[in-house]
Amino acid sequence: MSENMLHDTSILRLENITMQFGGVVAVDNLSMEVRPGEIVALIGPNGAGKTTAFNMITGVYEPTNGQISFEGSPVVRNHPRGKISKMYAGQNADLYKNKETLSPSVDRLTALGMARTFQNIRLFKSRTVFENVLIAKHLRRTRGFFSAVFRLNRDEEASWREESLSLLETTGLSAVKDENAVSLPYGLQRRLEIARALATRPRLLLLDEPAAGMNPQETDSLTAFIARIRREFGVSILLIEHHMNLVMDISDRIYVLDFGRMIATGEPREIQNNRRVIDAYLGVEEN
Amino acid sequence: MAFFRKHIKTIVPILVLYALVVVLDLIPGVPMMLLTVLKKGAIYSLVAVSMNLLNGFTGLFSLGQAGFMLLGAYTYASLNISSGLKPIVYQYYTPLFRFSITEVLSGVAGSAGAVLGIVLSLVIAGLVAAFFAYLIALPVLKLRGDYLAIATLGFAEIIRALIQLEALAPVTNGSQLLRGFPYFRGLFAPFLISGVCIFLIVLIINSTYGRAFIAIRDDEIAAEAMGINLAYHKRLSFVISSFFAGISGAMLAMYQTSVQANTFKSAMTYEILLIVVIGGIGSVSGSCIGSFLFIAMSEWWLRFLDNSAYNIPGIPLLRPGFRMVVFSVLIMIMVLFFRRGIMGDREFSLSFFSKKTRGEGGRSDSRRETDE
């Protein structure tokens, strides 16, 4: 494993990730990676386990088994423990048995350098666009509570405000920076969520169905926006999405899940012509 | 400083208010009731703002305020009973603290020492309340919504029962009252202490930590995903709120000149909650306006309703206790028709009068009672 780590140049790596809820194996032995600068999409029909996988990466769920590494070092690790160990139906139960389990909180993972957006937009609704972005700077604070209260952190505050403004500039939101966040049109709210995630200075951006509820025009503009974000901020992106146009347009690689298992992986063109993927989406006639 | 230029429209009315307080202190013949209302209102302002920090700005529905006030009140009282009065106050017990902080320090440095002693004991009162908040934060703050309210309410009731324990009597004097400690003589001291504390809370709310609290209130899941450690920040807010509740409890002791556990019932927490709701959840100036209005209503303006001498002949409506009926109806009207309170989540400033503001909520014209 140590050798593996030395040569691990990926931003995000999932190894043997399994999630079992009661008797149901929602994600089964999933291994995947996101390399620096890549846009990777995770797709699959409804109930395939995409969101479960996403929730494990972002620390919302603790996987039943497996290991997730961020920039070469393991951040999440678990093996079947307690009640679930007797009924564990996945694979590789012994692989991580003798290793320390790692189960960081959501905010810890964000601090490490991965930031996410939400499928159902979650903005700070009483705050302006600018404040929404500014709040995301809080985790990068270097001063303690008292220096913040007595305004001894003016330099830090000033640089946060400057960074937030320039972030709003690049994301095309500076015209609405003093508007209430939830008063923005839907498409701009999506953008703001991405801008807010970027404000935490991530190296990996995790987008949970960014085009959900969007019409084709909005989706097109979002596609261009995501591509531009990758270029300008140098972040790697992992996204879950149902809009195939968006996925095929911007993804470098695609992982396809079906019934919790990975059934295909490759570049968009390979995936489009993959028999198993087409079957998974359209269904197969049984004979 | 840029700060003063930026907030001139808030600072000026505050200074006017303080000037008025000084004047009221100096001229004789001011109605006793007005002084009472202002004094108690100043104290309630602080505890209401501290509750607002937790309930309004961090979104944690806690009902432990009376418990933390009680801790502050007892801490202040037991540390400051003058040594001459100790044998009389602790009639049946041997007092644990044989000294009085204020007396010790005034012996060293005269009246400056006495002031220092009072300030020091107020801070200690806050710290004791904060310490207990820190202890119970870990289990209690895992609860959400109503469950948190029930747990904190329970904590306050437990503290009230425990403090009357025989075993603690050398400090708390059991269920007998504590008295014989320095109390407020004028208006200026309670206004100054409350003002400084509320200013500190405003500084906290407007700092990056305050923004984090508001983020947690607005959307806990998003706040955590933005790297805000929920457990840490909730506990921080809880401890700060309790610290200032402890100080206001000590101030209430100074106002009442005596302390007894039975005055810190859960009804007191509900009063404070009402003030916060009436003033506007998420508005500091709203809590201040709300507390003066609330105290004035309950202690002064509605008094005549209790007096059967004011009855219109033939309609024997007014009688002792009728005040509370009208008061409750007024509160119901308030909550039904001004759901966002007097201030909503906005803050008071002079620009209120120069530009038209959004029409929601009644605007208070009682400038004098406004915004410390």
Side-chain angles (χ1 to χ4, degrees):
Chain A
M1 191 195 98
S2 57
E3 199 172 324
N4 214 344
M5 266 173 65
L6 279 177
H7 298 107
D8 192 356
T9 53
S10 61
I11 283 270
L12 180 78
R13 180 187 293 280
L14 275 65
E15 289 164 282
N16 313 106
I17 285 293
T18 301
M19 181 83 226
Q20 185 172 341
F21 298 108
V24 180
V25 182
V27 171
D28 191 4
N29 209 37
L30 173 66
S31 295
M32 58 180 280
E33 65 167 337
V34 180
R35 298 183 205 120
E38 260 189 333
I39 296 182
V40 174
L42 187 59
I43 63 169
N46 286 331
K50 307 180 296 291
T51 302
T52 307
F54 198 84
N55 280 335
M56 285 188 281
I57 296 167
T58 51
V60 178
Y61 293 159
E62 185 182 32
T64 314
N65 190 43
Q67 172 174 299
I68 300 174
S69 309
F70 183 69
E71 297 186 321
S73 38
V75 288
V76 175
R77 192 194 287 136
N78 201 8
H79 58 81
R81 289 178 293 160
K83 218 161 57 178
I84 205 88
S85 64
K86 290 194 194 77
M87 52 197 291
Y88 184 64
Q91 307 162 42
N92 295 316
D94 297 329
L95 214 52
Y96 305 98
K97 201 153 212 163
N98 300 317
K99 287 178 183 156
E100 185 196 359
T101 58
L102 303 167
S103 174
S105 57
V106 173
D107 58 281
R108 191 75 213 101
L109 289 172
T110 311
L112 284 176
M114 40 196 200
R116 68 170 292 183
T117 64
F118 295 89
Q119 181 184 345
N120 44 345
I121 298 174
R122 287 180 173 276
L123 292 169
F124 302 125
K125 49 188 176 297
S126 73
R127 303 288 99 183
T128 64
V129 169
F130 174 68
E131 285 166 328
N132 261 274
V133 173
L134 187 60
I135 285 168
K137 292 288 180 193
H138 181 66
L139 87 157
R140 298 295 171 214
R141 67 192 183 277
T142 54
R143 312 289 175 73
F145 174 70
F146 286 99
S147 62
V149 172
F150 295 107
R151 305 296 186 267
L152 303 172
N153 63 343
R154 275 171 199 279
D155 47 342
E156 196 173 68
E157 278 274 332
S159 74
W160 288 349
R161 282 168 192 275
E162 208 171 296
E163 281 172 42
S164 302
L165 283 178
S166 83
L167 189 62
L168 290 176
E169 193 81 41
T170 11
T171 49
L173 290 164
S174 52
V176 292
K177 73 180 170 63
D178 295 320
E179 306 259 332
N180 190 298
V182 288
S183 71
L184 296 186
Y186 190 76
L188 288 188
Q189 289 195 24
R190 282 270 173 222
R191 261 179 203 230
L192 176 55
E193 259 213 327
I194 295 175
R196 187 181 63 177
L198 287 170
T200 65
R201 289 184 218 145
R203 264 98 60 209
L204 175 67
L205 194 58
L206 302 153
L207 307 177
D208 189 359
E209 300 206 22
M214 282 188 171
N215 63 33
Q217 286 81 10
E218 285 172 326
T219 308
D220 283 349
S221 111
L222 181 78
T223 310
F225 181 66
I226 294 173
R228 191 158 67 81
I229 289 298
R230 186 236 317 242
R231 230 178 18 252
E232 289 186 17
F233 291 87
V235 288
S236 317
I237 295 172
L238 173 66
L239 56 94
I240 297 184
E241 191 46 74
H242 277 299
H243 284 64
M244 280 310 139
N245 287 345
L246 185 148
V247 170
M248 296 304 164
D249 277 359
I250 57 171
S251 307
D252 297 311
R253 280 184 312 116
I254 297 172
Y255 289 93
V256 190
L257 286 185
D258 191 25
F259 293 111
R261 294 216 176 91
M262 192 168 70
I263 55 166
T265 173
E267 289 172 19
R269 194 170 313 142
E270 302 170 60
I271 295 297
Q272 268 168 324
N273 302 317
N274 187 305
R275 191 69 238 164
R276 289 187 69 187
V277 177
I278 296 165
D279 287 349
Y281 269 89
L282 300 178
V284 224
E285 219 171 302
E286 285 176 39
N287 16 342
Chain B
M1 255 164 68
F3 177 82
F4 288 105
R5 241 173 295 131
K6 200 172 144 200
H7 298 286
I8 190 92
K9 286 188 168 168
T10 316
I11 291 169
V12 167
I14 294 174
L15 290 180
V16 170
L17 171 81
Y18 273 93
L20 272 168
V21 166
V22 172
V23 170
L24 277 179
D25 245 356
L26 290 177
I27 52 170
V30 180
M32 198 54 211
M33 258 323 184
L34 177 63
L35 294 179
T36 307
V37 165
L38 288 178
K39 239 188 252 183
K40 204 171 169 189
I43 297 164
Y44 268 64
S45 294
L46 175 56
V47 67
V49 172
S50 83
M51 190 179 202
N52 211 340
L53 172 70
L54 197 57
N55 290 25
F57 288 94
T58 321
L60 296 171
F61 187 36
S62 155
L63 292 177
Q65 234 59 9
F68 295 113
M69 286 177 84
L70 176 138
L71 286 169
Y74 268 89
T75 307
Y76 174 80
S78 58
L79 288 174
N80 279 295
I81 294 169
S82 85
S83 41
L85 285 170
K86 289 227 176 191
I88 307 167
V89 174
Y90 290 97
Q91 219 175 337
Y92 308 109
Y93 311 101
T94 330
L96 180 72
F97 302 121
R98 287 167 192 288
F99 57 89
S100 146
I101 292 185
T102 324
E103 277 180 1
V104 171
L105 286 175
S106 65
V108 177
S111 58
V115 170
L116 185 69
I118 289 173
V119 171
L120 186 66
S121 5
L122 284 175
V123 172
I124 296 174
L127 288 176
V128 168
F131 173 72
F132 276 87
Y134 183 84
L135 286 186
I136 68 159
L138 211 59
V140 158
L141 292 180
K142 287 209 173 112
L143 306 170
R144 273 156 210 268
D146 309 348
Y147 299 98
L148 173 63
I150 293 165
T152 46
L153 191 67
F155 164 78
E157 289 296 304
I158 290 168
I159 284 285
R160 193 165 61 83
L162 282 182
I163 212 126
Q164 300 180 62
L165 265 185
E166 202 71 15
L168 291 174
V171 178
T172 63
N173 204 15
S175 51
Q176 274 83 255
L177 49 78
L178 288 175
R179 61 194 166 81
F181 44 81
Y183 53 87
F184 291 132
R185 294 223 156 65
L187 274 182
F188 191 65
F191 270 80
L192 185 68
I193 300 168
S194 273
V196 168
C197 290
I198 291 171
F199 178 65
L200 287 176
I201 296 177
V202 170
L203 280 183
I204 293 168
I205 289 169
N206 291 323
S207 75
T208 177
Y209 286 85
R211 289 197 296 265
F213 294 161
I214 292 168
I216 293 174
R217 173 194 73 188
D218 277 0
D219 194 318
E220 205 173 292
I221 293 170
E224 193 179 24
M226 290 306 114
I228 294 169
N229 185 330
L230 293 183
Y232 173 82
H233 285 89
K234 283 181 177 182
R235 186 160 69 187
L236 185 65
S237 173
F238 192 59
V239 167
I240 295 167
S241 168
S242 306
F243 175 80
F244 288 109
I247 290 184
S248 69
M251 286 168 70
L252 197 64
M254 293 172 88
Y255 162 78
Q256 291 171 335
T257 69
S258 69
V259 178
Q260 197 171 18
N262 274 339
T263 47
F264 296 91
K265 286 197 170 130
S266 50
M268 185 181 249
T269 304
Y270 299 142
E271 279 182 5
I272 301 159
L273 180 66
L274 261 178
I275 290 172
V276 171
V277 172
I278 289 171
I281 292 173
S283 166
V284 171
S285 41
S287 290
C288 297
I289 297 168
S291 71
F292 284 104
L293 284 179
F294 182 92
I295 301 291
M297 292 263 241
S298 67
E299 307 253 330
W300 188 19
W301 293 342
L302 299 179
R303 277 276 175 205
F304 72 95
L305 294 170
D306 277 0
N307 193 339
S308 49
Y310 293 116
N311 265 329
I312 303 164
I315 314 169
L317 208 54
L318 306 188
R319 65 190 70 178
F322 189 65
R323 174 174 63 115
M324 291 322 286
V325 177
V326 174
F327 189 53
S328 312
V329 171
L330 281 177
I331 285 170
M332 280 165 69
I333 292 172
M334 181 83 213
V335 173
L336 281 174
F337 295 103
F338 299 96
R339 209 161 287 177
R340 287 166 44 80
I342 297 168
M343 301 294 292
D345 56 4
R346 294 162 297 154
E347 293 298 347
F348 176 88
S349 95
L350 274 189
S351 42
F352 254 52
F353 300 98
S354 52
K355 75 170 181 243
K356 191 108 182 84
T357 45
R358 284 171 292 156
E360 63 209 318
R363 196 197 302 151
S364 169
D365 52 4
S366 47
R367 272 264 307 289
R368 227 162 48 66
E369 294 165 347
T370 301
D371 199 11
E372 305 205 3

